Amino acid sequence: MKKYILGISVISSILLSGCATSNSMLKKDESFIKYNNNEHTIGNKENAIKTLTFHKTINGENDYKITFYIDKFPYHKEFNLCTDQSNFKRLKSVTTYKNKKDKLTYEDIAVDCNGYINVFKNKYVKGLSGNYKLKLLNGFNIAKLKGHDMKLESTTIHEVSTTMFEDFAIESKGSNTTKYFWTIK
């Protein structure tokens, strides 16, 4: 009997760094602006021999969908999931003068959503194996710096060093139920 070892280590973190944003891609709440450009396609559908799709749902609603069109094995691809948020000015400091006027100083920031995926056919068991790093932009937290809004990026990193790509789900429960899963066609 073959034993299947599925090593999954999902690392999530929130990184703080800010950006100005495009209104068409963001939905504003009082203290958070949600990033809405959450469907991505990597590769060419016409040349695909397999399609691998990463899904993230919150309370049953789609939050992220990333489709990889695989044209050969082994497959390796590097990508940026938020190129539309690449160069921004973040509020760095506020200097208040005696006349009570504020001087705002900004710094140029690039949102980093760089990731990669490696997929290969497993010669020991039927299916696809590999590893990946997906850096998802959730949106921007709104902080105050001396009364002025400052946007701080919020990202989640999903990084797995070894996995079998199959229809499986990782679920976390709390105030929101979040599911992460892959589908293969």
Side-chain angles (χ1 to χ4, degrees), residues 33-174:
I33 300 174
K34 181 172 175 36
Y35 181 63
N36 290 323
N37 187 16
N38 50 12
E39 277 199 34
H40 303 277
T41 302
I42 314 285
N44 185 335
K45 186 176 184 176
E46 283 74 38
N47 298 335
I49 56 175
K50 279 281 188 203
T51 302
L52 186 61
T53 305
F54 170 83
H55 304 268
K56 176 185 173 192
T57 62
I58 298 177
N59 295 329
E61 298 289 323
N62 285 331
D63 189 55
Y64 255 95
K65 180 179 176 185
I66 307 166
T67 302
F68 298 92
Y69 292 113
I70 299 172
D71 58 353
K72 65 180 178 179
F73 291 105
Y75 176 78
H76 171 78
K77 191 62 85 172
E78 295 180 13
F79 47 85
N80 183 343
L81 295 175
C82 57
T83 56
D84 60 327
Q85 302 293 310
S86 56
N87 292 313
F88 298 92
K89 300 215 177 278
R90 178 177 68 187
L91 183 59
K92 181 178 180 180
S93 66
V94 178
T95 305
T96 304
Y97 294 103
K98 290 180 183 179
N99 64 1
K100 308 253 183 197
K101 296 231 177 190
D102 290 340
K103 177 186 176 196
L104 307 179
T105 305
Y106 293 88
E107 63 183 330
D108 291 325
I109 297 291
V111 179
D112 175 13
C113 296
N114 293 317
Y116 65 86
I117 188 167
N118 294 299
V119 182
F120 55 90
K121 289 183 179 180
N122 192 316
K123 62 184 178 182
Y124 300 107
V125 295
K126 186 178 178 181
L128 301 176
S129 296
N131 55 58
Y132 62 91
K133 176 182 176 184
L134 306 175
K135 192 166 183 184
L136 310 178
L137 177 61
N138 303 313
F140 299 88
N141 291 303
I142 306 300
K144 293 286 186 187
L145 182 60
K146 292 189 177 180
H148 298 276
D149 285 350
M150 180 171 65
K151 294 179 182 147
L152 303 171
E153 81 178 56
S154 168
T155 58
T156 303
I157 299 172
H158 298 272
E159 188 167 8
V160 176
S161 59
T162 305
T163 192
M164 291 286 297
F165 291 104
E166 50 191 356
D167 295 335
F168 71 90
I170 298 172
E171 187 172 324
S172 65
K173 293 186 178 181

